[in-house]
Amino acid sequence: MCSLDEIFYFYIMKIIKGLLYTIVIIILTFLTATVFAPSSVMVERSIIVDTNQKNVFDQISNFTTWPEWDAWYIKDTNQIRKYAGRFGASEHGFQWRSDNKYIGNGSMYFSSMVDMDSLIYDVSFDDDEIIKASGYFHLTENNGQTSVKWVMFSSIGFPYKILNYFMDEKVGQDFERSLENFKNYIESNELEESSTGIVQIVNEFGIDYALIRKDSLPMGAMKLFFSKSYPLVYDFLRTKGMEPAGPSTGIYYEWDEVNFIANVAAAVPVSMFLPKEYDSFDFEFGAGLRTDNSVSCELKGGYSKSYPTHMAINKWLEDNHKIMDGPVIEEYVKGPYDTKDSSDYLTRITYHFIEADSN
């Protein structure tokens, strides 16, 4: 008969052997997958843009417009981009530097073109010599619309080429988002200023605003909408002999993250702000201010932090049993027109609310 120690030893050894077999199988599976992984892979996405081929070509070939739609720029709007040359020169491209580990440092250059049909490029990653990439944009016009095909080839050596199994999914998502942004940007850019909207006076939360409202606005076209609308609003105030009573403001009536559209207004307050008693507290992203029916966060720095700030305010509402009441107000207390240093931007984001159990 076996002793308890012998039984214990038997089962311990059995467990250890099982673990070793499992580890060996995992390692062998990994090595097999690595050996048979493709050393190069192609990522391809396309979209139809409602404009002619020349307009598409002019935008893609101009790297300085890429921050308007480039998904990698949106991930870190504080990254530094330095541009070199101009299109047609031997070196036309840009270098980027980012503290975001998912963006890193690197460069992209157009190496050649074929008429106005194809733009061929090379990409290098300064912090990652194992990955090399090249690709092209191919444009085809049909009945005033242009098909844009974006292709990239990645080349990775052993043993890192296993990453190519995931390249299409990861990079493809960014291609899709960039192309959708590009479509929204270039189609909106063709709108005449007269189609931006008319200036009207609207009262929100006891404050009169001169504003231009746009419904179902593609999110990728939002920056263009604001840049066109604010000059029209300020011209309206001058012609009416009215003075701004506060900073330029964005009013967000609805934000649809599924369809990437929003109902927004470019607004300027024209009535005096009523003094209120505020309770101060600390938000994760800035100074918090609260009244009996609103909560605000004063966000310092670039707009890349605005999304997590909105999420933090929504969480505060939920934790404190509040329900958002009315549109969201963003006051651009200090922005691009005031300073070139985005770290000095100051944005006040305000949510009005009612109690969750209110009727």
PDB file of all heavy atoms in Angstrom, residues 62-67 73 80-86 91-95 109:
ATOM      1  N   ASN A  62      -0.696  66.020 -51.033  1.00  0.00           N
ATOM      2  CA  ASN A  62      -0.291  67.124 -50.156  1.00  0.00           C
ATOM      3  C   ASN A  62      -0.291  66.627 -48.707  1.00  0.00           C
ATOM      4  O   ASN A  62      -1.327  66.574 -48.059  1.00  0.00           O
ATOM      5  CB  ASN A  62      -1.238  68.305 -50.317  1.00  0.00           C
ATOM      6  CG  ASN A  62      -0.830  69.497 -49.471  1.00  0.00           C
ATOM      7  OD1 ASN A  62       0.199  69.473 -48.785  1.00  0.00           O
ATOM      8  ND2 ASN A  62      -1.627  70.553 -49.509  1.00  0.00           N
ATOM      9  N   PHE A  63       0.878  66.273 -48.195  1.00  0.00           N
ATOM     10  CA  PHE A  63       0.959  65.691 -46.846  1.00  0.00           C
ATOM     11  C   PHE A  63       0.478  66.649 -45.760  1.00  0.00           C
ATOM     12  O   PHE A  63       0.079  66.206 -44.679  1.00  0.00           O
ATOM     13  CB  PHE A  63       2.401  65.272 -46.543  1.00  0.00           C
ATOM     14  CG  PHE A  63       2.775  63.937 -47.124  1.00  0.00           C
ATOM     15  CD1 PHE A  63       3.828  63.835 -48.012  1.00  0.00           C
ATOM     16  CD2 PHE A  63       2.077  62.789 -46.791  1.00  0.00           C
ATOM     17  CE1 PHE A  63       4.188  62.604 -48.553  1.00  0.00           C
ATOM     18  CE2 PHE A  63       2.423  61.556 -47.323  1.00  0.00           C
ATOM     19  CZ  PHE A  63       3.480  61.467 -48.212  1.00  0.00           C
ATOM     20  N   THR A  64       0.512  67.948 -46.013  1.00  0.00           N
ATOM     21  CA  THR A  64       0.109  68.901 -44.970  1.00  0.00           C
ATOM     22  C   THR A  64      -1.384  68.840 -44.680  1.00  0.00           C
ATOM     23  O   THR A  64      -1.831  69.331 -43.641  1.00  0.00           O
ATOM     24  CB  THR A  64       0.499  70.339 -45.362  1.00  0.00           C
ATOM     25  OG1 THR A  64      -0.191  70.712 -46.567  1.00  0.00           O
ATOM     26  CG2 THR A  64       2.003  70.445 -45.587  1.00  0.00           C
ATOM     27  N   THR A  65      -2.172  68.232 -45.580  1.00  0.00           N
ATOM     28  CA  THR A  65      -3.614  68.106 -45.320  1.00  0.00           C
ATOM     29  C   THR A  65      -3.959  66.791 -44.630  1.00  0.00           C
ATOM     30  O   THR A  65      -5.093  66.602 -44.200  1.00  0.00           O
ATOM     31  CB  THR A  65      -4.429  68.189 -46.634  1.00  0.00           C
ATOM     32  OG1 THR A  65      -4.176  67.027 -47.436  1.00  0.00           O
ATOM     33  CG2 THR A  65      -4.065  69.445 -47.414  1.00  0.00           C
ATOM     34  N   TRP A  66      -2.995  65.890 -44.513  1.00  0.00           N
ATOM     35  CA  TRP A  66      -3.289  64.584 -43.931  1.00  0.00           C
ATOM     36  C   TRP A  66      -3.824  64.642 -42.496  1.00  0.00           C
ATOM     37  O   TRP A  66      -4.662  63.812 -42.126  1.00  0.00           O
ATOM     38  CB  TRP A  66      -2.038  63.694 -43.995  1.00  0.00           C
ATOM     39  CG  TRP A  66      -1.829  63.053 -45.332  1.00  0.00           C
ATOM     40  CD1 TRP A  66      -1.968  63.652 -46.556  1.00  0.00           C
ATOM     41  CD2 TRP A  66      -1.457  61.696 -45.595  1.00  0.00           C
ATOM     42  NE1 TRP A  66      -1.687  62.760 -47.560  1.00  0.00           N
ATOM     43  CE2 TRP A  66      -1.372  61.549 -47.009  1.00  0.00           C
ATOM     44  CE3 TRP A  66      -1.168  60.609 -44.793  1.00  0.00           C
ATOM     45  CZ2 TRP A  66      -1.030  60.351 -47.608  1.00  0.00           C
ATOM     46  CZ3 TRP A  66      -0.817  59.407 -45.389  1.00  0.00           C
ATOM     47  CH2 TRP A  66      -0.758  59.284 -46.773  1.00  0.00           C
ATOM     48  N   PRO A  67      -3.356  65.570 -41.645  1.00  0.00           N
ATOM     49  CA  PRO A  67      -3.919  65.615 -40.281  1.00  0.00           C
ATOM     50  C   PRO A  67      -5.426  65.833 -40.238  1.00  0.00           C
ATOM     51  O   PRO A  67      -6.054  65.574 -39.211  1.00  0.00           O
ATOM     52  CB  PRO A  67      -3.173  66.798 -39.640  1.00  0.00           C
ATOM     53  CG  PRO A  67      -1.863  66.835 -40.354  1.00  0.00           C
ATOM     54  CD  PRO A  67      -2.198  66.489 -41.778  1.00  0.00           C
ATOM     55  N   TYR A  73      -2.858  60.309 -37.113  1.00  0.00           N
ATOM     56  CA  TYR A  73      -2.716  61.632 -36.507  1.00  0.00           C
ATOM     57  C   TYR A  73      -3.772  61.833 -35.422  1.00  0.00           C
ATOM     58  O   TYR A  73      -3.489  62.393 -34.363  1.00  0.00           O
ATOM     59  CB  TYR A  73      -2.843  62.725 -37.562  1.00  0.00           C
ATOM     60  CG  TYR A  73      -2.643  64.118 -36.995  1.00  0.00           C
ATOM     61  CD1 TYR A  73      -1.361  64.621 -36.793  1.00  0.00           C
ATOM     62  CD2 TYR A  73      -3.727  64.915 -36.642  1.00  0.00           C
ATOM     63  CE1 TYR A  73      -1.174  65.882 -36.256  1.00  0.00           C
ATOM     64  CE2 TYR A  73      -3.541  66.169 -36.110  1.00  0.00           C
ATOM     65  CZ  TYR A  73      -2.262  66.655 -35.911  1.00  0.00           C
ATOM     66  OH  TYR A  73      -2.081  67.901 -35.374  1.00  0.00           O
ATOM     67  N   ILE A  80       4.562  65.423 -33.455  1.00  0.00           N
ATOM     68  CA  ILE A  80       5.258  66.428 -34.262  1.00  0.00           C
ATOM     69  C   ILE A  80       5.486  65.869 -35.664  1.00  0.00           C
ATOM     70  O   ILE A  80       6.027  64.777 -35.830  1.00  0.00           O
ATOM     71  CB  ILE A  80       6.603  66.808 -33.623  1.00  0.00           C
ATOM     72  CG1 ILE A  80       6.374  67.424 -32.244  1.00  0.00           C
ATOM     73  CG2 ILE A  80       7.373  67.780 -34.511  1.00  0.00           C
ATOM     74  CD1 ILE A  80       7.647  67.685 -31.472  1.00  0.00           C
ATOM     75  N   ARG A  81       5.066  66.630 -36.673  1.00  0.00           N
ATOM     76  CA  ARG A  81       5.297  66.233 -38.057  1.00  0.00           C
ATOM     77  C   ARG A  81       6.120  67.315 -38.759  1.00  0.00           C
ATOM     78  O   ARG A  81       5.777  68.489 -38.712  1.00  0.00           O
ATOM     79  CB  ARG A  81       3.980  66.012 -38.796  1.00  0.00           C
ATOM     80  CG  ARG A  81       3.216  64.790 -38.314  1.00  0.00           C
ATOM     81  CD  ARG A  81       2.076  64.415 -39.227  1.00  0.00           C
ATOM     82  NE  ARG A  81       1.460  63.153 -38.825  1.00  0.00           N
ATOM     83  CZ  ARG A  81       0.534  62.522 -39.519  1.00  0.00           C
ATOM     84  NH1 ARG A  81       0.101  63.021 -40.662  1.00  0.00           N
ATOM     85  NH2 ARG A  81       0.033  61.377 -39.082  1.00  0.00           N
ATOM     86  N   LYS A  82       7.197  66.900 -39.401  1.00  0.00           N
ATOM     87  CA  LYS A  82       8.046  67.810 -40.161  1.00  0.00           C
ATOM     88  C   LYS A  82       8.011  67.394 -41.622  1.00  0.00           C
ATOM     89  O   LYS A  82       8.267  66.241 -41.961  1.00  0.00           O
ATOM     90  CB  LYS A  82       9.478  67.779 -39.621  1.00  0.00           C
ATOM     91  CG  LYS A  82       9.611  68.338 -38.210  1.00  0.00           C
ATOM     92  CD  LYS A  82      11.067  68.386 -37.772  1.00  0.00           C
ATOM     93  CE  LYS A  82      11.192  68.999 -36.381  1.00  0.00           C
ATOM     94  NZ  LYS A  82      12.609  69.063 -35.935  1.00  0.00           N
ATOM     95  N   TYR A  83       7.687  68.354 -42.485  1.00  0.00           N
ATOM     96  CA  TYR A  83       7.490  68.067 -43.896  1.00  0.00           C
ATOM     97  C   TYR A  83       8.743  68.413 -44.699  1.00  0.00           C
ATOM     98  O   TYR A  83       9.458  69.365 -44.387  1.00  0.00           O
ATOM     99  CB  TYR A  83       6.284  68.849 -44.426  1.00  0.00           C
ATOM    100  CG  TYR A  83       5.020  68.546 -43.653  1.00  0.00           C
ATOM    101  CD1 TYR A  83       4.621  69.363 -42.597  1.00  0.00           C
ATOM    102  CD2 TYR A  83       4.255  67.431 -43.953  1.00  0.00           C
ATOM    103  CE1 TYR A  83       3.472  69.071 -41.872  1.00  0.00           C
ATOM    104  CE2 TYR A  83       3.108  67.130 -43.239  1.00  0.00           C
ATOM    105  CZ  TYR A  83       2.725  67.962 -42.204  1.00  0.00           C
ATOM    106  OH  TYR A  83       1.597  67.668 -41.476  1.00  0.00           O
ATOM    107  N   ALA A  84       8.973  67.623 -45.742  1.00  0.00           N
ATOM    108  CA  ALA A  84      10.150  67.807 -46.577  1.00  0.00           C
ATOM    109  C   ALA A  84       9.750  67.852 -48.041  1.00  0.00           C
ATOM    110  O   ALA A  84       8.928  67.052 -48.500  1.00  0.00           O
ATOM    111  CB  ALA A  84      11.155  66.675 -46.355  1.00  0.00           C
ATOM    112  N   GLY A  85      10.351  68.798 -48.773  1.00  0.00           N
ATOM    113  CA  GLY A  85      10.147  68.876 -50.209  1.00  0.00           C
ATOM    114  C   GLY A  85       8.731  69.214 -50.609  1.00  0.00           C
ATOM    115  O   GLY A  85       7.900  69.599 -49.804  1.00  0.00           O
ATOM    116  N   ARG A  86       8.464  69.086 -51.860  1.00  0.00           N
ATOM    117  CA  ARG A  86       7.116  69.254 -52.391  1.00  0.00           C
ATOM    118  C   ARG A  86       6.872  68.175 -53.423  1.00  0.00           C
ATOM    119  O   ARG A  86       7.802  67.524 -53.904  1.00  0.00           O
ATOM    120  CB  ARG A  86       6.941  70.638 -53.008  1.00  0.00           C
ATOM    121  CG  ARG A  86       7.866  70.913 -54.181  1.00  0.00           C
ATOM    122  CD  ARG A  86       7.621  72.289 -54.750  1.00  0.00           C
ATOM    123  NE  ARG A  86       8.500  72.561 -55.882  1.00  0.00           N
ATOM    124  CZ  ARG A  86       8.424  73.658 -56.630  1.00  0.00           C
ATOM    125  NH1 ARG A  86       7.529  74.592 -56.343  1.00  0.00           N
ATOM    126  NH2 ARG A  86       9.244  73.821 -57.648  1.00  0.00           N
ATOM    127  N   GLU A  91      12.627  64.096 -52.882  1.00  0.00           N
ATOM    128  CA  GLU A  91      12.208  63.693 -51.539  1.00  0.00           C
ATOM    129  C   GLU A  91      11.017  64.539 -51.120  1.00  0.00           C
ATOM    130  O   GLU A  91      11.145  65.720 -50.810  1.00  0.00           O
ATOM    131  CB  GLU A  91      13.353  63.866 -50.528  1.00  0.00           C
ATOM    132  CG  GLU A  91      14.455  62.826 -50.668  1.00  0.00           C
ATOM    133  CD  GLU A  91      15.397  62.841 -49.479  1.00  0.00           C
ATOM    134  OE1 GLU A  91      15.265  63.757 -48.639  1.00  0.00           O
ATOM    135  OE2 GLU A  91      16.252  61.954 -49.396  1.00  0.00           O
ATOM    136  N   HIS A  92       9.868  63.929 -51.149  1.00  0.00           N
ATOM    137  CA  HIS A  92       8.634  64.606 -50.736  1.00  0.00           C
ATOM    138  C   HIS A  92       7.935  63.723 -49.714  1.00  0.00           C
ATOM    139  O   HIS A  92       7.476  62.620 -50.033  1.00  0.00           O
ATOM    140  CB  HIS A  92       7.712  64.841 -51.926  1.00  0.00           C
ATOM    141  CG  HIS A  92       6.341  65.340 -51.540  1.00  0.00           C
ATOM    142  ND1 HIS A  92       6.154  66.505 -50.844  1.00  0.00           N
ATOM    143  CD2 HIS A  92       5.109  64.805 -51.746  1.00  0.00           C
ATOM    144  CE1 HIS A  92       4.861  66.686 -50.629  1.00  0.00           C
ATOM    145  NE2 HIS A  92       4.201  65.670 -51.167  1.00  0.00           N
ATOM    146  N   GLY A  93       7.890  64.191 -48.469  1.00  0.00           N
ATOM    147  CA  GLY A  93       7.266  63.384 -47.431  1.00  0.00           C
ATOM    148  C   GLY A  93       7.271  64.083 -46.102  1.00  0.00           C
ATOM    149  O   GLY A  93       7.351  65.316 -46.034  1.00  0.00           O
ATOM    150  N   PHE A  94       7.182  63.295 -45.040  1.00  0.00           N
ATOM    151  CA  PHE A  94       7.201  63.873 -43.700  1.00  0.00           C
ATOM    152  C   PHE A  94       7.776  62.872 -42.713  1.00  0.00           C
ATOM    153  O   PHE A  94       7.760  61.655 -42.938  1.00  0.00           O
ATOM    154  CB  PHE A  94       5.799  64.318 -43.265  1.00  0.00           C
ATOM    155  CG  PHE A  94       4.843  63.191 -42.980  1.00  0.00           C
ATOM    156  CD1 PHE A  94       4.646  62.734 -41.679  1.00  0.00           C
ATOM    157  CD2 PHE A  94       4.117  62.600 -44.003  1.00  0.00           C
ATOM    158  CE1 PHE A  94       3.761  61.702 -41.407  1.00  0.00           C
ATOM    159  CE2 PHE A  94       3.220  61.571 -43.752  1.00  0.00           C
ATOM    160  CZ  PHE A  94       3.046  61.118 -42.443  1.00  0.00           C
ATOM    161  N   GLN A  95       8.280  63.412 -41.624  1.00  0.00           N
ATOM    162  CA  GLN A  95       8.738  62.610 -40.498  1.00  0.00           C
ATOM    163  C   GLN A  95       7.812  62.889 -39.325  1.00  0.00           C
ATOM    164  O   GLN A  95       7.320  64.007 -39.169  1.00  0.00           O
ATOM    165  CB  GLN A  95      10.174  62.968 -40.125  1.00  0.00           C
ATOM    166  CG  GLN A  95      11.181  62.680 -41.222  1.00  0.00           C
ATOM    167  CD  GLN A  95      12.582  63.124 -40.830  1.00  0.00           C
ATOM    168  OE1 GLN A  95      12.766  64.010 -39.989  1.00  0.00           O
ATOM    169  NE2 GLN A  95      13.583  62.501 -41.426  1.00  0.00           N
ATOM    170  N   TYR A 109       7.455  58.729 -47.408  1.00  0.00           N
ATOM    171  CA  TYR A 109       7.826  59.507 -48.584  1.00  0.00           C
ATOM    172  C   TYR A 109       7.165  58.928 -49.828  1.00  0.00           C
ATOM    173  O   TYR A 109       7.065  57.702 -49.975  1.00  0.00           O
ATOM    174  CB  TYR A 109       9.353  59.503 -48.786  1.00  0.00           C
ATOM    175  CG  TYR A 109      10.105  60.353 -47.795  1.00  0.00           C
ATOM    176  CD1 TYR A 109      10.524  59.822 -46.579  1.00  0.00           C
ATOM    177  CD2 TYR A 109      10.379  61.689 -48.066  1.00  0.00           C
ATOM    178  CE1 TYR A 109      11.209  60.599 -45.658  1.00  0.00           C
ATOM    179  CE2 TYR A 109      11.070  62.471 -47.154  1.00  0.00           C
ATOM    180  CZ  TYR A 109      11.483  61.924 -45.953  1.00  0.00           C
ATOM    181  OH  TYR A 109      12.154  62.705 -45.039  1.00  0.00           O
TER     182      TYR A 109
END
